[in-house]
Amino acid sequence: MTSQTLTAFFMKQRNWFKPKSFTHITKKLTQNDGEWIKNYVSDPSNIKTHKFFPLIHRTIVTKRFKGSIDRNGRNIKKHHTFIKGVRTPNVKYREIYYPNHLDAHIYAYYTQKILEPEYEKELKKDARLNESILAYRHVPLEDKSRGKCNIDFANEAFDQIKNSKGEVAVLALDISKFFDSLDHKKLKRAWAHLLGRTDLDKDHYNIYKSLTQFSYVEMQSMLTEFGYKHPKQLIQKEVSHFISDGNEFRNRIKSKGYLKKNPFRRKEQDKDGKEIKTIIGIPQGTPISAFLANLYLLEFDKKILELLKDCVGIYRRYSDDILVICPKHLSYNIETEIYDLIKEFNLIIQPLKTQRSYFVDGKLVKGEKPVLYLGFQFDGHRKLLKSASISKFYRKMKTSVKFRAYRASLSKKKLKKGFSVDATLHRKKLYTQFSFLGTSRRSIKKRSFFSYANYASKIMNSPEIQNQLSKGWAILHAEIDKQEKKFDLIKIQKGNGSNPVKVSI
């Protein structure tokens, strides 16, 4: 794989007008609608009176393994834990809200054409600030061949640690519930200040209001109401939208109680000491949300850099992930200051999630844990993929093989009814997705974990990353053999290539 191919593979086009194919409440927009969309979204008089549609909400659930000790004193990892005697799953929830097609283009236009240029000007006033904010920006390489990605950012941070002198501490901190906790007044103030105003113009205020006072509907409610069992049916049946006009929206969505309001709340006390609930947070998933999260912490970023100025510390923030490299003897005070500063923005850093690693002249102190950052780990010698990411990849591999085997086994039941069936476990897609064969030029458009690992190995000049996946082929075949035996699947005959055996009765 050439460097040019890799560059093309990972580069992202910066264009606010990107018609999407997902099904929403209202109809899809296409490239043919581009001219009138551009005219509409670029006219402030349209946006200040624009009525934003409800967002559609879905929850992404990620199972997590957490280490624990069993009754025999052995280290084990489980999908659950016990809290006060109650079995509780170890899962991570991501609440995603996505807007309809026209609203999405409004958000994208105002982000890329109006707000981002002003934000970039502000960052470029201070070179240290400009290099400290990483996420949701186009940061080009020195040769401008492509934009930097998380691999580049992690590699640069590890090199800075490796080249450090004396005793240094590396602090990795995580902001809890970032998007869900943004204070609306502070967000509005930062937004207006960026534009050089004391308040927002009516068009900007209408967008701000659509994100802070948003309404939404559950995807599952839409599927149930309109007679679909699964989101995949929307693709199979080429469903472009749920409603045709305003009357249908009122009769089938609004009147039936499907509309919900911003669910994010924070408990506070009023002047009399009474507890009140304050609405906070913005939806994660709109084209403008990530930018606003960066903008919200602009003053925080400046204050942290001022804090680290005298000790020549290094500060990096990738969305809600913060990395600080500073002299060890100052690390406790700096960490405490960061905890206090983040509270000024009504956010919280979870102390239990904070990771501390100590290095001497770029070498990890014996007994210390490696630095974990942006999906990678560094022990002073080797730059590696985070072990949890590899474990997650293998779990996903095994789950996919098992699911495909199960689906193939269902075909065998049709034999009794006289059908011609395909009861094989097709391996081509599995090989593309879960083996080194997915890194070939023919499969370059189908991004896989192996292609990502190869790319990381190249950028970081770390062949050890490829060695981490050296057992992948054997693990994949072992799982395939296991599931073929379990479900008694038909084998593909040798000499027939990828053509499956067809059986009929």
Side-chain angles (χ1 to χ4, degrees), residues 167-218:
E167 294 183 324
V168 300
V170 181
L171 307 176
L173 309 100
D174 179 75
I175 301 173
S176 178
K177 297 181 180 179
F178 189 23
F179 287 84
D180 305 357
S181 304
L182 301 188
D183 184 285
H184 292 168
K185 290 182 180 179
K186 294 181 182 298
L187 175 61
K188 184 181 177 184
R189 191 181 305 121
W191 194 331
H193 182 71
L194 180 69
L195 299 173
R197 298 178 56 85
T198 57
D199 205 354
L200 294 175
D201 281 330
K202 290 183 178 180
D203 54 331
H204 285 266
Y205 179 73
N206 194 31
I207 296 174
Y208 161 81
K209 189 170 64 173
S210 74
L211 296 162
T212 55
Q213 302 177 27
F214 69 92
S215 60
Y216 68 96
V217 294
E218 298 287 352

Short mmCIF file of all heavy atoms in Angstrom, two decimals, residues 167-218:
data_model
loop_
_atom_site.label_atom_id
_atom_site.label_comp_id
_atom_site.label_asym_id
_atom_site.label_seq_id
_atom_site.Cartn_x
_atom_site.Cartn_y
_atom_site.Cartn_z
N GLU A 167 12.57 14.32 35.73
CA GLU A 167 11.36 13.63 36.18
C GLU A 167 10.12 14.39 35.72
O GLU A 167 9.96 15.57 36.05
CB GLU A 167 11.35 13.51 37.71
CG GLU A 167 12.45 12.62 38.27
CD GLU A 167 12.34 12.48 39.78
OE1 GLU A 167 11.96 13.47 40.44
OE2 GLU A 167 12.61 11.38 40.29
N VAL A 168 9.28 13.72 34.95
CA VAL A 168 8.05 14.35 34.48
C VAL A 168 6.86 13.46 34.81
O VAL A 168 6.99 12.24 34.95
CB VAL A 168 8.07 14.63 32.96
CG1 VAL A 168 9.20 15.55 32.59
CG2 VAL A 168 8.13 13.33 32.18
N ALA A 169 5.72 14.10 34.95
CA ALA A 169 4.46 13.38 35.17
C ALA A 169 3.59 13.56 33.93
O ALA A 169 3.56 14.64 33.33
CB ALA A 169 3.74 13.91 36.40
N VAL A 170 2.90 12.49 33.54
CA VAL A 170 1.95 12.56 32.44
C VAL A 170 0.57 12.30 33.03
O VAL A 170 0.31 11.24 33.59
CB VAL A 170 2.26 11.52 31.35
CG1 VAL A 170 1.26 11.63 30.21
CG2 VAL A 170 3.68 11.70 30.83
N LEU A 171 -0.31 13.30 32.92
CA LEU A 171 -1.66 13.21 33.48
C LEU A 171 -2.65 13.09 32.33
O LEU A 171 -2.66 13.91 31.41
CB LEU A 171 -1.99 14.46 34.29
CG LEU A 171 -0.98 14.86 35.39
CD1 LEU A 171 -1.41 16.18 36.02
CD2 LEU A 171 -0.89 13.77 36.44
N ALA A 172 -3.47 12.07 32.38
CA ALA A 172 -4.54 11.88 31.40
C ALA A 172 -5.86 12.01 32.14
O ALA A 172 -6.17 11.20 33.02
CB ALA A 172 -4.42 10.51 30.73
N LEU A 173 -6.63 13.04 31.80
CA LEU A 173 -7.87 13.34 32.52
C LEU A 173 -9.06 13.29 31.56
O LEU A 173 -8.92 13.53 30.35
CB LEU A 173 -7.80 14.72 33.18
CG LEU A 173 -6.57 15.00 34.04
CD1 LEU A 173 -5.56 15.82 33.27
CD2 LEU A 173 -6.93 15.72 35.32
N ASP A 174 -10.23 13.00 32.11
CA ASP A 174 -11.42 12.83 31.28
C ASP A 174 -12.56 13.66 31.86
O ASP A 174 -12.89 13.55 33.04
CB ASP A 174 -11.82 11.34 31.25
CG ASP A 174 -13.07 11.10 30.43
OD1 ASP A 174 -12.97 11.15 29.20
OD2 ASP A 174 -14.14 10.87 31.02
N ILE A 175 -13.17 14.49 31.01
CA ILE A 175 -14.31 15.30 31.43
C ILE A 175 -15.57 14.44 31.38
O ILE A 175 -15.86 13.80 30.36
CB ILE A 175 -14.48 16.53 30.53
CG1 ILE A 175 -13.22 17.40 30.56
CG2 ILE A 175 -15.70 17.36 30.96
CD1 ILE A 175 -13.25 18.55 29.58
N SER A 176 -16.31 14.43 32.47
CA SER A 176 -17.49 13.57 32.57
C SER A 176 -18.69 14.19 31.85
O SER A 176 -18.99 15.38 32.05
CB SER A 176 -17.82 13.34 34.04
OG SER A 176 -18.98 12.55 34.19
N LYS A 177 -19.36 13.39 31.01
CA LYS A 177 -20.60 13.81 30.33
C LYS A 177 -20.45 15.19 29.70
O LYS A 177 -21.22 16.12 30.00
CB LYS A 177 -21.77 13.78 31.32
CG LYS A 177 -22.07 12.40 31.87
CD LYS A 177 -23.25 12.42 32.83
CE LYS A 177 -23.53 11.02 33.36
NZ LYS A 177 -24.67 11.02 34.33
N PHE A 178 -19.50 15.31 28.82
CA PHE A 178 -19.11 16.60 28.26
C PHE A 178 -20.27 17.32 27.58
O PHE A 178 -20.72 18.39 28.02
CB PHE A 178 -17.95 16.37 27.29
CG PHE A 178 -17.29 17.62 26.78
CD1 PHE A 178 -17.36 18.80 27.49
CD2 PHE A 178 -16.60 17.60 25.58
CE1 PHE A 178 -16.74 19.96 27.02
CE2 PHE A 178 -15.98 18.74 25.10
CZ PHE A 178 -16.05 19.92 25.83
N PHE A 179 -20.79 16.76 26.49
CA PHE A 179 -21.85 17.43 25.73
C PHE A 179 -23.11 17.62 26.57
O PHE A 179 -23.80 18.63 26.45
CB PHE A 179 -22.19 16.60 24.48
CG PHE A 179 -21.14 16.66 23.41
CD1 PHE A 179 -20.04 15.82 23.44
CD2 PHE A 179 -21.25 17.55 22.35
CE1 PHE A 179 -19.07 15.87 22.46
CE2 PHE A 179 -20.29 17.60 21.36
CZ PHE A 179 -19.20 16.76 21.41
N ASP A 180 -23.40 16.64 27.43
CA ASP A 180 -24.63 16.68 28.23
C ASP A 180 -24.60 17.75 29.31
O ASP A 180 -25.65 18.06 29.89
CB ASP A 180 -24.88 15.34 28.92
CG ASP A 180 -24.90 14.17 27.94
OD1 ASP A 180 -24.77 14.43 26.73
OD2 ASP A 180 -25.04 13.02 28.38
N SER A 181 -23.42 18.32 29.60
CA SER A 181 -23.27 19.19 30.77
C SER A 181 -22.96 20.64 30.44
O SER A 181 -22.73 21.44 31.35
CB SER A 181 -22.16 18.63 31.69
OG SER A 181 -22.44 17.29 32.06
N LEU A 182 -22.94 21.01 29.18
CA LEU A 182 -22.58 22.38 28.82
C LEU A 182 -23.61 23.37 29.36
O LEU A 182 -24.81 23.22 29.16
CB LEU A 182 -22.47 22.53 27.30
CG LEU A 182 -21.45 21.64 26.58
CD1 LEU A 182 -21.34 22.04 25.12
CD2 LEU A 182 -20.10 21.67 27.25
N ASP A 183 -23.11 24.39 30.03
CA ASP A 183 -23.96 25.44 30.60
C ASP A 183 -24.41 26.38 29.48
O ASP A 183 -23.59 26.94 28.75
CB ASP A 183 -23.18 26.22 31.66
CG ASP A 183 -24.03 27.26 32.36
OD1 ASP A 183 -24.30 28.31 31.74
OD2 ASP A 183 -24.42 27.03 33.52
N HIS A 184 -25.71 26.56 29.33
CA HIS A 184 -26.25 27.32 28.21
C HIS A 184 -25.83 28.79 28.22
O HIS A 184 -25.50 29.36 27.17
CB HIS A 184 -27.77 27.21 28.19
CG HIS A 184 -28.25 25.83 27.85
ND1 HIS A 184 -29.56 25.43 27.99
CD2 HIS A 184 -27.58 24.74 27.38
CE1 HIS A 184 -29.68 24.17 27.61
NE2 HIS A 184 -28.50 23.73 27.24
N LYS A 185 -25.83 29.41 29.37
CA LYS A 185 -25.46 30.82 29.45
C LYS A 185 -23.99 31.02 29.06
O LYS A 185 -23.65 31.97 28.34
CB LYS A 185 -25.71 31.35 30.86
CG LYS A 185 -27.19 31.47 31.22
CD LYS A 185 -27.36 32.05 32.61
CE LYS A 185 -28.84 32.17 32.98
NZ LYS A 185 -29.03 32.71 34.35
N LYS A 186 -23.14 30.13 29.53
CA LYS A 186 -21.72 30.24 29.19
C LYS A 186 -21.49 29.97 27.71
O LYS A 186 -20.63 30.60 27.08
CB LYS A 186 -20.91 29.27 30.06
CG LYS A 186 -20.91 29.62 31.54
CD LYS A 186 -20.06 28.64 32.33
CE LYS A 186 -20.09 28.96 33.82
NZ LYS A 186 -19.53 30.31 34.12
N LEU A 187 -22.24 29.04 27.16
CA LEU A 187 -22.12 28.73 25.74
C LEU A 187 -22.54 29.93 24.89
O LEU A 187 -21.85 30.32 23.93
CB LEU A 187 -22.98 27.52 25.39
CG LEU A 187 -23.06 27.16 23.90
CD1 LEU A 187 -21.68 26.81 23.35
CD2 LEU A 187 -24.02 25.99 23.68
N LYS A 188 -23.65 30.53 25.26
CA LYS A 188 -24.14 31.69 24.52
C LYS A 188 -23.15 32.85 24.60
O LYS A 188 -22.89 33.54 23.60
CB LYS A 188 -25.50 32.12 25.09
CG LYS A 188 -26.16 33.26 24.32
CD LYS A 188 -27.48 33.64 24.97
CE LYS A 188 -28.12 34.83 24.27
NZ LYS A 188 -29.36 35.26 24.95
N ARG A 189 -22.57 33.05 25.77
CA ARG A 189 -21.60 34.13 25.96
C ARG A 189 -20.36 33.89 25.10
O ARG A 189 -19.84 34.82 24.46
CB ARG A 189 -21.22 34.22 27.44
CG ARG A 189 -20.43 35.47 27.80
CD ARG A 189 -20.06 35.50 29.27
NE ARG A 189 -21.26 35.36 30.10
CZ ARG A 189 -21.46 34.40 30.99
NH1 ARG A 189 -20.54 33.46 31.16
NH2 ARG A 189 -22.56 34.37 31.70
N ALA A 190 -19.87 32.65 25.08
CA ALA A 190 -18.69 32.32 24.27
C ALA A 190 -18.99 32.48 22.79
O ALA A 190 -18.14 32.95 22.02
CB ALA A 190 -18.25 30.88 24.58
N TRP A 191 -20.17 32.10 22.37
CA TRP A 191 -20.60 32.20 20.97
C TRP A 191 -20.61 33.67 20.53
O TRP A 191 -20.06 34.03 19.49
CB TRP A 191 -21.99 31.58 20.85
CG TRP A 191 -22.48 31.30 19.47
CD1 TRP A 191 -22.16 31.96 18.32
CD2 TRP A 191 -23.41 30.27 19.10
NE1 TRP A 191 -22.84 31.41 17.25
CE2 TRP A 191 -23.61 30.38 17.69
CE3 TRP A 191 -24.09 29.29 19.79
CZ2 TRP A 191 -24.48 29.52 17.00
CZ3 TRP A 191 -24.95 28.44 19.11
CH2 TRP A 191 -25.14 28.55 17.73
N ALA A 192 -21.25 34.51 21.34
CA ALA A 192 -21.34 35.95 21.01
C ALA A 192 -19.95 36.60 21.02
O ALA A 192 -19.62 37.41 20.14
CB ALA A 192 -22.27 36.64 22.00
N HIS A 193 -19.14 36.23 22.02
CA HIS A 193 -17.80 36.81 22.14
C HIS A 193 -16.94 36.47 20.93
O HIS A 193 -16.16 37.30 20.45
CB HIS A 193 -17.14 36.30 23.42
CG HIS A 193 -15.78 36.88 23.65
ND1 HIS A 193 -15.57 38.20 24.02
CD2 HIS A 193 -14.54 36.32 23.56
CE1 HIS A 193 -14.28 38.42 24.13
NE2 HIS A 193 -13.63 37.30 23.86
N LEU A 194 -17.09 35.26 20.42
CA LEU A 194 -16.32 34.84 19.24
C LEU A 194 -16.64 35.74 18.05
O LEU A 194 -15.75 36.05 17.24
CB LEU A 194 -16.64 33.38 18.90
CG LEU A 194 -15.91 32.80 17.68
CD1 LEU A 194 -14.42 32.63 17.98
CD2 LEU A 194 -16.52 31.46 17.28
N LEU A 195 -17.89 36.17 17.95
CA LEU A 195 -18.32 37.00 16.83
C LEU A 195 -18.13 38.49 17.11
O LEU A 195 -18.56 39.33 16.32
CB LEU A 195 -19.79 36.71 16.50
CG LEU A 195 -20.09 35.27 16.08
CD1 LEU A 195 -21.60 35.06 15.94
CD2 LEU A 195 -19.39 34.92 14.77
N GLY A 196 -17.52 38.82 18.28
CA GLY A 196 -17.27 40.20 18.62
C GLY A 196 -18.51 40.95 19.03
O GLY A 196 -18.60 42.18 18.83
N ARG A 197 -19.46 40.25 19.63
CA ARG A 197 -20.72 40.85 20.02
C ARG A 197 -21.00 40.59 21.49
O ARG A 197 -20.37 39.73 22.12
CB ARG A 197 -21.88 40.29 19.18
CG ARG A 197 -21.75 40.56 17.68
CD ARG A 197 -22.92 39.93 16.92
NE ARG A 197 -24.20 40.42 17.43
CZ ARG A 197 -24.81 41.53 17.06
NH1 ARG A 197 -24.22 42.31 16.14
NH2 ARG A 197 -25.96 41.90 17.56
N THR A 198 -21.95 41.35 22.04
CA THR A 198 -22.38 41.12 23.42
C THR A 198 -23.57 40.19 23.46
O THR A 198 -23.89 39.61 24.51
CB THR A 198 -22.75 42.45 24.10
OG1 THR A 198 -23.77 43.10 23.33
CG2 THR A 198 -21.53 43.34 24.21
N ASP A 199 -24.25 40.03 22.32
CA ASP A 199 -25.38 39.12 22.22
C ASP A 199 -25.41 38.53 20.81
O ASP A 199 -24.71 39.02 19.91
CB ASP A 199 -26.69 39.84 22.53
CG ASP A 199 -27.78 38.88 23.02
OD1 ASP A 199 -27.53 37.66 23.01
OD2 ASP A 199 -28.86 39.37 23.41
N LEU A 200 -26.25 37.54 20.61
CA LEU A 200 -26.30 36.87 19.31
C LEU A 200 -27.29 37.54 18.37
O LEU A 200 -28.37 37.98 18.80
CB LEU A 200 -26.70 35.39 19.49
CG LEU A 200 -25.72 34.49 20.24
CD1 LEU A 200 -26.32 33.10 20.43
CD2 LEU A 200 -24.39 34.38 19.49
N ASP A 201 -26.92 37.60 17.09
CA ASP A 201 -27.89 38.02 16.07
C ASP A 201 -29.04 37.03 16.04
O ASP A 201 -28.92 35.89 16.51
CB ASP A 201 -27.22 38.06 14.69
CG ASP A 201 -26.39 39.31 14.50
OD1 ASP A 201 -26.74 40.35 15.09
OD2 ASP A 201 -25.38 39.23 13.78
N LYS A 202 -30.15 37.43 15.44
CA LYS A 202 -31.36 36.60 15.48
C LYS A 202 -31.17 35.25 14.79
O LYS A 202 -31.74 34.24 15.23
CB LYS A 202 -32.53 37.36 14.86
CG LYS A 202 -33.01 38.53 15.71
CD LYS A 202 -34.22 39.19 15.10
CE LYS A 202 -34.71 40.34 16.00
NZ LYS A 202 -35.91 41.01 15.42
N ASP A 203 -30.41 35.22 13.70
CA ASP A 203 -30.20 33.94 13.02
C ASP A 203 -29.36 33.01 13.87
O ASP A 203 -29.67 31.82 14.01
CB ASP A 203 -29.57 34.14 11.64
CG ASP A 203 -28.29 34.95 11.69
OD1 ASP A 203 -28.14 35.79 12.60
OD2 ASP A 203 -27.41 34.73 10.82
N HIS A 204 -28.30 33.51 14.49
CA HIS A 204 -27.46 32.69 15.38
C HIS A 204 -28.25 32.28 16.62
O HIS A 204 -28.11 31.14 17.09
CB HIS A 204 -26.21 33.47 15.78
CG HIS A 204 -25.19 33.56 14.70
ND1 HIS A 204 -24.13 32.68 14.57
CD2 HIS A 204 -25.06 34.45 13.67
CE1 HIS A 204 -23.41 33.01 13.52
NE2 HIS A 204 -23.95 34.08 12.96
N TYR A 205 -29.06 33.20 17.12
CA TYR A 205 -29.85 32.87 18.31
C TYR A 205 -30.86 31.76 18.02
O TYR A 205 -31.10 30.90 18.88
CB TYR A 205 -30.59 34.11 18.83
CG TYR A 205 -31.42 33.81 20.05
CD1 TYR A 205 -30.83 33.58 21.29
CD2 TYR A 205 -32.81 33.72 19.96
CE1 TYR A 205 -31.59 33.27 22.42
CE2 TYR A 205 -33.58 33.42 21.07
CZ TYR A 205 -32.96 33.20 22.29
OH TYR A 205 -33.72 32.89 23.40
N ASN A 206 -31.43 31.76 16.84
CA ASN A 206 -32.39 30.70 16.48
C ASN A 206 -31.70 29.34 16.43
O ASN A 206 -32.26 28.32 16.86
CB ASN A 206 -33.04 31.02 15.13
CG ASN A 206 -34.27 30.17 14.88
OD1 ASN A 206 -34.99 29.78 15.82
ND2 ASN A 206 -34.53 29.87 13.62
N ILE A 207 -30.46 29.33 15.93
CA ILE A 207 -29.70 28.07 15.92
C ILE A 207 -29.35 27.66 17.34
O ILE A 207 -29.48 26.48 17.72
CB ILE A 207 -28.42 28.24 15.07
CG1 ILE A 207 -28.79 28.50 13.62
CG2 ILE A 207 -27.54 27.00 15.18
CD1 ILE A 207 -27.61 28.82 12.72
N TYR A 208 -28.90 28.62 18.13
CA TYR A 208 -28.58 28.35 19.54
C TYR A 208 -29.79 27.77 20.28
O TYR A 208 -29.69 26.78 21.01
CB TYR A 208 -28.12 29.65 20.21
CG TYR A 208 -28.19 29.66 21.72
CD1 TYR A 208 -27.18 29.08 22.48
CD2 TYR A 208 -29.27 30.26 22.36
CE1 TYR A 208 -27.26 29.08 23.86
CE2 TYR A 208 -29.35 30.27 23.75
CZ TYR A 208 -28.34 29.68 24.50
OH TYR A 208 -28.42 29.67 25.87
N LYS A 209 -30.95 28.37 20.05
CA LYS A 209 -32.18 27.91 20.72
C LYS A 209 -32.56 26.49 20.27
O LYS A 209 -33.05 25.69 21.06
CB LYS A 209 -33.31 28.89 20.42
CG LYS A 209 -34.57 28.64 21.23
CD LYS A 209 -35.56 29.78 21.07
CE LYS A 209 -36.03 29.88 19.63
NZ LYS A 209 -37.13 30.88 19.48
N SER A 210 -32.30 26.18 18.99
CA SER A 210 -32.64 24.84 18.48
C SER A 210 -31.80 23.75 19.14
O SER A 210 -32.19 22.58 19.15
CB SER A 210 -32.45 24.80 16.97
OG SER A 210 -31.07 24.75 16.62
N LEU A 211 -30.64 24.14 19.68
CA LEU A 211 -29.73 23.17 20.30
C LEU A 211 -29.88 23.10 21.82
O LEU A 211 -29.52 22.10 22.43
CB LEU A 211 -28.28 23.53 19.96
CG LEU A 211 -27.92 23.44 18.48
CD1 LEU A 211 -26.65 24.22 18.19
CD2 LEU A 211 -27.77 21.99 18.05
N THR A 212 -30.37 24.16 22.42
CA THR A 212 -30.52 24.18 23.88
C THR A 212 -31.95 23.88 24.31
O THR A 212 -32.18 23.39 25.42
CB THR A 212 -30.10 25.55 24.44
OG1 THR A 212 -30.85 26.59 23.78
CG2 THR A 212 -28.62 25.78 24.22
N GLN A 213 -32.92 24.17 23.43
CA GLN A 213 -34.32 23.88 23.73
C GLN A 213 -34.86 22.87 22.72
O GLN A 213 -36.00 22.96 22.27
CB GLN A 213 -35.14 25.17 23.69
CG GLN A 213 -34.67 26.23 24.66
CD GLN A 213 -35.46 27.52 24.53
OE1 GLN A 213 -36.62 27.53 24.14
NE2 GLN A 213 -34.82 28.64 24.87
N PHE A 214 -34.03 21.91 22.38
CA PHE A 214 -34.40 20.98 21.31
C PHE A 214 -35.46 19.98 21.76
O PHE A 214 -35.61 19.67 22.94
CB PHE A 214 -33.15 20.24 20.81
CG PHE A 214 -32.55 19.26 21.79
CD1 PHE A 214 -32.92 17.93 21.79
CD2 PHE A 214 -31.58 19.69 22.71
CE1 PHE A 214 -32.36 17.03 22.69
CE2 PHE A 214 -31.02 18.80 23.60
CZ PHE A 214 -31.40 17.46 23.59
N SER A 215 -36.18 19.48 20.78
CA SER A 215 -37.11 18.38 21.00
C SER A 215 -36.65 17.20 20.15
O SER A 215 -35.91 17.38 19.18
CB SER A 215 -38.54 18.79 20.63
OG SER A 215 -38.61 19.16 19.27
N TYR A 216 -37.10 16.02 20.50
CA TYR A 216 -36.65 14.84 19.77
C TYR A 216 -37.69 13.74 19.85
O TYR A 216 -38.62 13.77 20.68
CB TYR A 216 -35.31 14.34 20.33
CG TYR A 216 -35.39 13.77 21.74
CD1 TYR A 216 -35.52 12.39 21.95
CD2 TYR A 216 -35.35 14.60 22.85
CE1 TYR A 216 -35.59 11.87 23.24
CE2 TYR A 216 -35.43 14.10 24.13
CZ TYR A 216 -35.55 12.73 24.32
OH TYR A 216 -35.62 12.22 25.58
N VAL A 217 -37.54 12.75 18.97
CA VAL A 217 -38.37 11.56 18.99
C VAL A 217 -37.45 10.35 18.97
O VAL A 217 -36.34 10.40 18.42
CB VAL A 217 -39.35 11.49 17.79
CG1 VAL A 217 -40.37 12.60 17.87
CG2 VAL A 217 -38.58 11.56 16.48
N GLU A 218 -37.89 9.27 19.57
CA GLU A 218 -37.10 8.04 19.57
C GLU A 218 -37.24 7.34 18.22
O GLU A 218 -38.33 7.27 17.66
CB GLU A 218 -37.57 7.10 20.68
CG GLU A 218 -37.42 7.65 22.09
CD GLU A 218 -35.98 7.69 22.55
OE1 GLU A 218 -35.11 7.14 21.83
OE2 GLU A 218 -35.72 8.28 23.61
#
